[in-house]
Amino acid sequence: MTTETPVTTTPVTTEPSVAPVAPTIVLDTVVAENGEATLTLEIKNNPGLAAINITPDYDEEALTLTTSNIKNGDIFPTLDKGVNLFFSADENCYDDGVLATLKFTVNEGTAAGTYPVTFTVREVLNEEFEEVELEVVAGSITVE
């Protein structure tokens, strides 16, 4: 008498599972028009965040960003603007989308070229005050 091995239809893999993608803030790459450029700061892969504290980093000899030229997006109810940008909420915000828009003025005498714009991440927390890693994808402003 022969015994048959049962056939399974469950797929079997030896590949490791893919780790979730880290939350990321992404900046636009734009061309300045009439001495001004507006960048959108977006968040993607948001796992649930209650506070983000970041500092803009750009060539201040070539570009000017004033706090009046920073507008809150549609993710966090509160944006405090100063040297740092501090986004906050009482509970986790889970949406992906626009954190802020930043309007830069190209300073007089700025040479043609591409000027990177990025952020230094100071602190990112969820509502339990646990730190969350946040990646930054830099943007740029091209002056023609």
Side-chain angles (χ1 to χ4, degrees), residues 7-137:
V7 176
T8 179
T9 58
T10 305
V12 177
T13 180
T14 57
E15 296 293 318
S17 63
V18 177
V21 178
T24 306
I25 54 174
V26 180
L27 282 154
D28 288 334
T29 296
V30 300
V31 176
E33 295 183 17
N34 300 318
E36 294 183 342
T38 301
L39 294 180
T40 301
L41 175 64
E42 292 186 73
I43 187 163
K44 297 183 179 188
N45 307 314
N46 185 351
L49 303 174
I52 300 174
N53 185 0
I54 55 178
T55 304
D57 185 17
Y58 57 93
D59 184 340
E60 294 181 19
E61 291 183 18
L63 305 168
T64 299
L65 173 65
T66 60
T67 56
S68 63
N69 286 334
I70 302 171
K71 305 297 179 208
N72 196 12
D74 54 7
I75 304 295
F76 284 91
T78 303
L79 167 61
D80 293 325
K81 304 175 281 187
V83 173
N84 296 324
L85 303 182
F86 183 71
F87 301 89
S88 62
D90 291 336
E91 57 188 34
N92 283 340
C93 298
Y94 290 94
D95 293 336
D96 288 355
V98 176
L99 285 172
T101 54
L102 301 92
K103 184 176 179 181
F104 289 86
T105 302
V106 178
N107 296 335
E108 190 173 319
T110 296
T114 299
Y115 297 86
V117 179
T118 190
F119 282 89
T120 300
V121 178
R122 302 289 177 202
E123 187 173 46
V124 181
L125 302 171
N126 62 25
E127 67 187 6
E128 288 83 30
F129 300 102
E130 298 167 330
E131 289 192 31
V132 178
E133 291 292 320
L134 182 68
E135 294 181 10
V136 177
V137 175

